Amino acid sequence: MDLIRIGSFLAELRREKGLTQQALGERLGVTNKTVSRWETGCYLPDVEMLTLLSREFGVSINELVAGERLAAEKFKEAADTNLTEALDHSAFTLKEKQAFFKKKWRREHRSTIILCTAAQLVLMIVLRIRHVEPGLCGTVGGMLAILYYAVLNNRMMAYVERNTFPPVR
């Protein structure tokens, strides 16, 4: 994807509409600085903004990403190219998304993990105070650890799946 070309095309479309960067930014709910960054090719508008820009300027998202108005015969070819490039340069790979949401879930559920660990330790101490055999304490502790891991890991993976593959509306 040629960000400079896309930016130049956005600037051209804005000027054709007789809008300043400030005016376009106000219509889209962004700052004039953001519009400037798009137009200079510093970065690409996100998908939501591409949709708004497409409506604002009366061009397709495909044309925005191609950085030019497309004739009917070039439209399909450009669509395939743009989609392939977008997928190749997407911000996150599947593994990166999964790692991100796992880390986020662990951070959000840190207290639950700590409480489960503390409960297990307290149980182990109580069993030892009650003079339960060490082998039995170890077995109970191990089974409890496996149970905690299975339940918490299952909850985490459900969260990761929900966020990595959100339902289509």
Side-chain angles (χ1 to χ4, degrees), residues 116-144:
C116 287
T117 304
Q120 181 181 2
L121 289 173
V122 167
L123 177 64
M124 299 300 293
I125 291 169
V126 168
L127 289 175
R128 285 304 298 146
I129 289 172
R130 298 231 172 218
H131 303 293
V132 174
E133 288 186 36
L136 184 58
C137 286
T139 303
V140 169
M143 289 175 65
L144 196 55

Side-chain angles (χ1 to χ4, degrees), residues 7 9 40 44 46 66 70 113-114 124 130 136-137 153 157:
F9 186 54
T40 57
L44 184 67
D46 63 21
L70 298 169
I113 295 167
I114 291 170
M124 299 300 293
R130 298 231 172 218
L136 184 58
C137 286
N153 192 58
M157 293 311 294

Side-chain angles (χ1 to χ4, degrees), residues 13-150:
L13 292 170
R14 178 183 54 77
R15 283 189 223 101
E16 284 176 9
K17 278 271 211 168
L19 296 172
T20 63
Q21 289 179 341
Q22 180 71 36
L24 178 60
E26 287 172 4
R27 287 178 137 174
L28 299 174
V30 297
T31 65
N32 63 325
K33 207 170 211 161
T34 298
V35 174
S36 174
R37 288 182 183 134
W38 295 338
E39 291 182 0
T40 57
C42 289
Y43 62 85
L44 184 67
D46 63 21
V47 175
E48 182 181 330
M49 277 302 140
L50 286 173
T51 302
L52 294 174
L53 287 162
S54 170
R55 286 186 199 135
E56 182 69 34
F57 296 133
V59 296
S60 69
I61 293 174
N62 191 28
E63 289 172 306
L64 288 175
V65 175
E68 64 181 333
R69 287 191 172 86
L70 298 169
E73 61 274 358
K74 277 188 78 179
F75 198 85
K76 184 182 181 320
E77 180 185 328
D80 291 343
T81 302
N82 290 337
L83 181 59
T84 303
E85 285 184 18
L87 292 173
D88 285 344
H89 296 94
S90 67
F92 296 105
T93 65
L94 179 59
K95 286 186 181 194
E96 289 170 332
K97 278 185 181 179
Q98 289 173 328
F100 170 80
F101 286 115
K102 281 181 183 180
K103 186 176 180 179
K104 184 177 183 210
W105 186 91
R106 286 182 187 123
R107 191 173 49 248
E108 290 173 354
H109 293 83
R110 188 174 291 142
S111 60
T112 303
I113 295 167
I114 291 170
L115 285 173
C116 287
T117 304
Q120 181 181 2
L121 289 173
V122 167
L123 177 64
M124 299 300 293
I125 291 169
V126 168
L127 289 175
R128 285 304 298 146
I129 289 172
R130 298 231 172 218
H131 303 293
V132 174
E133 288 186 36
L136 184 58
C137 286
T139 303
V140 169
M143 289 175 65
L144 196 55
I146 290 169
L147 178 66
Y148 283 152
Y149 175 79

